[in-house]
Amino acid sequence: MAQFDPRRQPMRLAPHLLTTAAAVAIALVAGQAYEPVRAEEVPALTSEQIAYLETQAYAAAGAPAGLTAPEAIPVQIRRGETFEQAVRRTGIGAEEASAVAATIASAFDLKDLRAGLKFETAVSKPRGGRGDARLIGLTMRTGPASQLTVSRSFDGALRLRALDEKVTHETVVANDKVQRSLSASARELGATSAVVRRASQLFAHKFDMQRDVKASDEFTLVFDRSVTEAGRTVETGDLLYAELKGHAFYRFQRPGSKTAEYFDATGKNTRSAMMRTPLQSFRRVSSNFGVRTHPISGYRKMHQGMDFAATTGTPIVAPADGVVVEARRWGGYGNWLRIRHSNGLESGYGHLSRYGSGIRAGQRVSQGQIVAYVGSTGASTGPHLHYEIWRGGRRINPAGVKTQEGTVLTGSDLAAFRAEKSRIDRVIAAGGQRRPVVQQASASGLRSVEG
């Protein structure tokens, strides 16, 4: 045991030296030299995360002093109205509306706004019912994949952020079995109304869409679309392929032609001279061609057409190319339409609620074009379409009309079609196709304006 010697000075270590030594020892034990702490780079937020945080911020804002909780108020710009005037209809004052307009104008030219444009606002109103409301937030879509958001910070300033979503082009292969209806099943797989309508027009050449198409029938639709990273469709391209119950249709545009057509796998044009029915959607055939007891008069008499029970406003399409002969009121038929087609055929439509855009006597129409809408005008017991076919001035049974099939491709047209068919078949086999990003996302605060 060491003896205490008063002649020797004891060894003392400063506390900071001990701390340094400990740090060095720990670093040596860990096998690495000491390095200063570095801040990690924060990853950029996605548009979904930004939208979520924005929603949470609005919810957390609560009710400002003396004001009610923020209320969502949708606004649509009216004809002849400025953006500032539209904002004022939410109840906020002129000064604040002007500040909001100035904030938006720093990133978007308000002169480009058109009547009908919609935007969302969050507004708090005075608790006592007196005074102007206060804008808490505003979101306006300025393009298919871009929007501007105005929010109020805790210090009362209005802050503006521009958001551009990533957009990709893709070819979708929608394949499934019919559940409730073809249109409902197709929409569940991402098909838009335009795609479904086009497919229904094609299938109407081969099927009665209400009686021939059953649940569990398999279908395939192939179409182009542009979609945001959030999965929202901003643009839909053409229907490239449609198949139902073994009948397939390929889209093909002949070299030098201005329009595209649809052909079967052999190159035969699937476009027949007359579609089976002028409606792609109806509940049932409520009355066939032939003798029946009239539902209003009670007498047995000849029913010289077919009745399709359908809801008011259901679109009616031209079953073939033709020229409008009549578009007028006609007795018990109510609003009446008659179209002259080739081969001595004419089609007639009764009880219409209204006519399609531009439909009048002398107007040329194309197959599949919307010419009118189902109604219940004239002598009618409920919404339905009375449909007639005339040949040589005499009414005939619409269900018995025989139609001629389309033409067959040959030569260079057939070779070009086969190349396009092979391309579409490869896309179907691959389950679809995605193209490069065409727009890059960016989110930035553009400026603040004191409110």
Side-chain angles (χ1 to χ4, degrees):
M1 182 175 178
Q3 297 295 320
F4 173 73
D5 186 349
R7 295 171 297 178
R8 298 176 59 186
Q9 293 294 325
M11 181 180 296
R12 288 189 174 90
L13 297 177
H16 68 275
L17 293 177
L18 288 173
T19 303
T20 303
V24 172
I26 293 173
L28 291 174
V29 171
Q32 59 184 14
Y34 170 76
E35 291 185 3
V37 177
R38 295 180 180 177
E40 295 184 0
E41 183 178 351
V42 179
L45 295 177
T46 66
S47 62
E48 292 95 335
Q49 292 171 326
I50 292 172
Y52 173 76
L53 292 175
E54 184 177 280
T55 302
Q56 292 297 99
Y58 282 173
L67 299 174
T68 62
E71 175 187 355
I73 301 179
V75 181
Q76 183 173 8
I77 296 180
R78 298 169 179 171
R79 186 179 300 277
E81 186 178 48
T82 65
F83 174 78
E84 188 171 333
Q85 290 170 336
V87 171
R88 287 205 61 184
R89 285 194 281 109
T90 64
I92 71 174
E95 184 177 348
E96 184 158 327
S98 178
V100 173
T103 304
I104 293 288
S106 66
F108 184 79
D109 190 347
L110 294 177
K111 294 180 181 178
D112 293 336
L113 295 181
R114 296 290 181 266
L117 183 137
K118 300 177 181 179
F119 56 90
E120 298 289 333
T121 65
V123 175
S124 290
K125 298 179 179 179
R127 289 188 181 277
R130 296 181 178 180
D132 296 327
R134 189 169 179 81
L135 183 78
I136 305 301
L138 181 150
T139 300
M140 181 176 69
R141 186 162 294 282
T142 55
S146 60
Q147 71 177 30
L148 295 175
T149 299
V150 177
S151 58
R152 188 177 294 281
S153 60
F154 291 107
D155 61 359
L158 296 175
R159 303 190 67 84
L160 176 68
R161 186 177 67 247
L163 175 65
D164 293 323
E165 295 182 85
K166 292 180 181 178
V167 177
T168 59
H169 291 314
E170 62 182 17
T171 301
V172 179
V173 178
N175 175 258
D176 202 353
K177 292 183 178 180
V178 174
Q179 303 298 327
R180 301 185 305 278
S181 67
L182 175 65
S183 60
S185 300
R187 286 192 179 93
E188 289 178 357
L189 297 177
T192 62
S193 298
V195 169
V196 172
R197 183 167 56 251
R198 188 61 172 135
S200 298
Q201 290 172 356
L202 292 174
F203 294 140
H205 292 283
K206 298 294 183 182
F207 310 112
D208 181 324
M209 296 300 291
Q210 295 297 120
R211 292 184 287 185
D212 296 340
V213 180
K214 310 295 183 184
S216 78
D217 285 339
E218 189 170 350
F219 70 92
T220 301
L221 302 180
V222 180
F223 53 93
D224 290 328
R225 71 172 180 174
S226 297
V227 61
T228 67
E229 56 188 329
R232 185 174 55 83
T233 300
V234 297
E235 184 179 13
T236 303
D238 293 311
L239 176 68
L240 302 179
Y241 175 88
E243 181 181 359
L244 177 66
K245 295 170 69 77
H247 290 272
F249 305 82
Y250 290 85
R251 181 185 183 277
F252 173 65
Q253 188 167 341
R254 307 188 205 198
S257 175
K258 295 182 179 179
T259 59
E261 302 170 84
Y262 289 85
F263 300 82
D264 65 15
T266 66
K268 178 188 291 186
N269 192 326
T270 57
R271 188 175 185 271
S272 61
M274 184 76 71
M275 294 166 63
R276 295 285 299 275
T277 64
L279 292 174
Q280 278 106 49
S281 175
F282 58 92
R283 291 196 297 268
R284 69 186 189 282
V285 175
S286 54
S287 185
N288 283 300
F289 184 90
V291 178
R292 66 165 186 175
T293 301
H294 194 275
I296 295 180
S297 68
Y299 293 108
R300 285 185 61 79
K301 58 186 298 186
M302 186 67 181
H303 183 236
Q304 302 186 95
M306 291 179 68
D307 287 351
F308 298 92
T311 57
T312 297
T314 300
I316 303 166
V317 301
D321 295 347
V323 177
V324 175
V325 178
E326 295 177 311
R328 63 184 179 91
R329 192 85 178 184
W330 188 25
Y333 286 97
N335 291 330
W336 165 257
L337 174 68
R338 185 159 60 100
I339 302 174
R340 180 178 296 121
H341 309 285
S342 59
N343 301 322
L345 294 176
E346 294 183 351
S347 59
Y349 315 81
H351 310 303
L352 310 175
S353 60
R354 59 191 177 96
Y355 301 102
S357 177
I359 297 301
R360 60 185 181 279
Q363 178 69 38
R364 184 170 296 278
V365 296
S366 58
Q367 189 176 59
Q369 177 181 340
I370 295 176
V371 293
Y373 298 86
V374 170
S376 187
T377 56
S380 171
T381 58
H384 73 284
L385 170 66
H386 174 78
Y387 178 52
E388 297 183 354
I389 293 292
W390 304 46
R391 174 177 284 146
R394 298 182 58 184
R395 295 177 176 89
I396 62 174
N397 188 353
V401 175
K402 302 297 181 182
T403 61
Q404 179 182 358
E405 294 295 333
T407 58
V408 180
L409 294 172
T410 59
S412 60
D413 286 345
L414 180 59
F417 166 75
R418 286 173 175 168
E420 175 64 4
K421 175 183 176 298
S422 296
R423 185 188 73 83
I424 294 174
D425 287 340
R426 288 193 299 271
V427 172
I428 296 174
Q433 186 180 65
R434 294 180 67 85
R435 295 170 180 79
V437 173
V438 297
Q439 187 173 357
Q440 188 67 32
S442 65
S444 59
L446 297 179
R447 78 163 185 166
S448 298
V449 177
E450 293 298 327

